[in-house]
Amino acid sequence: MVAQASFIAALMFYVGVIYTGAYYGYFHLSPFALGFGFGEFVLHSLHLVTFPVLVGAAALFFVVAIAGHQPHKGLHGVLMRSAGRGASALARHYLIVVAAGLLLLVLWWQWQVLLPYRWAGPLLVGFGLVLGVVRQAGLSRPRSPWETALLVLAAGLFLLWAVTLVSGQLGERNARNDARNVTLRTGLVVHSAQSLSLSSWAPGLRHRDLGAGVHLRHRYEGLRLIVERAGRYYAVPIGWRARTDNVFILREGEGVRIELTPGVQ
């Protein structure tokens, strides 16, 4: 159980690193530079637990589980026999499933339209190899352990590749959605004794000079918080664009005060 728990924790850490790297990479940030720890990466991996992912994983597990099994009689057995025959057919022709996955991998590099579904190729290859392992287990003369181990290793690598692609795609998609609805995020109001020269290019950022009689005379509004780490506030202005605009890194000090406000729709 310790080995299994360690493997699951390592897998969640890996998925969390991929997701977090893709998410903050969209904002030109590195999760390692931000100082995320092991536990935070593991928690971020839970973003992968979505309804489509759970349904797809359950369907694949169901097909693999019933392949080669003989269901009982009755209505329930009729349904299970139909599903079992389909799963057994897939297991017998697992090389066709593998070939379909390899074809998708080739088309992935040729057709840009397939980029949102680039995870489908490795998933089909890994799924087909798992079916191949199930088929070998049901043969009267199974192959050598080395061949089975090779199939298991290859299936694991392709499935890990698919999980990597899904995690990265999901992280980038969530970051793009958050950037599109950036006004809903926590707002920042910055008061500074000296001009920070933030408003020369930033869209949506407002600057007010409160006058020489005020110590923190420069007030900046229109910023939205991306993340706060170790006293540093990483923020973007309203109207921020990923391809052309920068991310502000602000830190409170003797001449700078930062206030947090609710996001405004």
Side-chain angles (χ1 to χ4, degrees):
M1 292 184 62
V2 174
Q4 294 175 352
S6 300
F7 174 77
I8 293 175
L11 181 61
M12 294 180 67
F13 170 76
Y14 174 78
V15 171
V17 169
I18 299 300
Y19 173 88
T20 309
Y23 182 90
Y24 289 104
Y26 186 81
F27 295 101
H28 320 310
L29 301 172
S30 169
F32 296 102
L34 294 174
F36 287 114
F38 179 85
E40 291 171 302
F41 283 123
V42 170
L43 289 177
H44 288 162
S45 70
L46 297 179
H47 286 91
L48 195 62
V49 185
T50 60
F51 182 74
V53 173
L54 292 177
V55 170
L60 294 179
F61 178 79
F62 176 76
V63 172
V64 172
I66 66 174
H69 284 70
Q70 297 297 329
H72 300 289
K73 295 182 179 180
L75 179 60
H76 181 267
V78 171
L79 297 176
M80 289 298 296
R81 278 198 298 272
S82 300
R85 283 195 294 268
S88 299
L90 282 178
R92 289 194 303 271
H93 302 91
Y94 73 97
L95 290 178
I96 296 179
V97 180
V98 174
L102 294 175
L103 178 60
L104 285 179
L105 288 177
V106 174
L107 295 178
W108 166 21
W109 277 285
Q110 299 296 327
W111 294 351
Q112 295 295 320
V113 70
L114 291 178
L115 283 180
Y117 308 100
R118 56 187 181 271
W119 47 266
L123 179 63
L124 276 180
V125 175
F127 176 59
L129 293 176
V130 171
L131 290 176
V133 174
V134 173
R135 178 177 179 271
Q136 286 188 9
L139 294 176
S140 57
R141 293 183 180 180
R143 297 181 181 179
S144 66
W146 288 105
E147 294 181 357
T148 302
L150 183 61
L151 278 178
V152 171
L153 177 61
L157 291 176
F158 276 100
L159 291 176
L160 183 61
W161 186 7
V163 170
T164 301
L165 294 175
V166 171
S167 302
Q169 182 177 340
L170 185 61
E172 184 178 351
R173 187 189 69 181
N174 289 347
R176 187 181 297 109
N177 291 336
D178 288 346
R180 187 180 301 115
N181 303 304
V182 71
T183 56
L184 302 180
R185 300 184 69 88
T186 300
L188 269 73
V189 178
V190 182
H191 299 267
S192 174
Q194 303 293 330
S195 175
L196 300 179
S197 301
L198 298 181
S199 60
S200 58
W201 63 269
L205 185 60
R206 300 182 300 276
H207 170 244
R208 291 175 55 193
D209 190 343
L210 302 181
V214 180
H215 174 57
L216 301 177
R217 59 182 295 181
H218 297 279
R219 177 185 174 96
Y220 297 89
E221 298 176 304
L223 291 172
R224 291 297 183 265
L225 180 67
I226 298 302
V227 65
E228 184 274 328
R229 302 293 297 178
R232 290 183 173 86
Y233 297 83
Y234 299 83
V236 296
I238 297 174
W240 181 83
R241 295 163 297 183
R243 294 190 176 185
T244 58
D245 297 343
N246 301 328
V247 175
F248 295 128
I249 304 177
L250 305 170
R251 188 170 186 175
E252 272 191 318
E254 184 177 350
V256 178
R257 186 177 79 241
I258 297 177
E259 300 174 356
L260 302 180
T261 64
V264 179
Q265 188 170 2

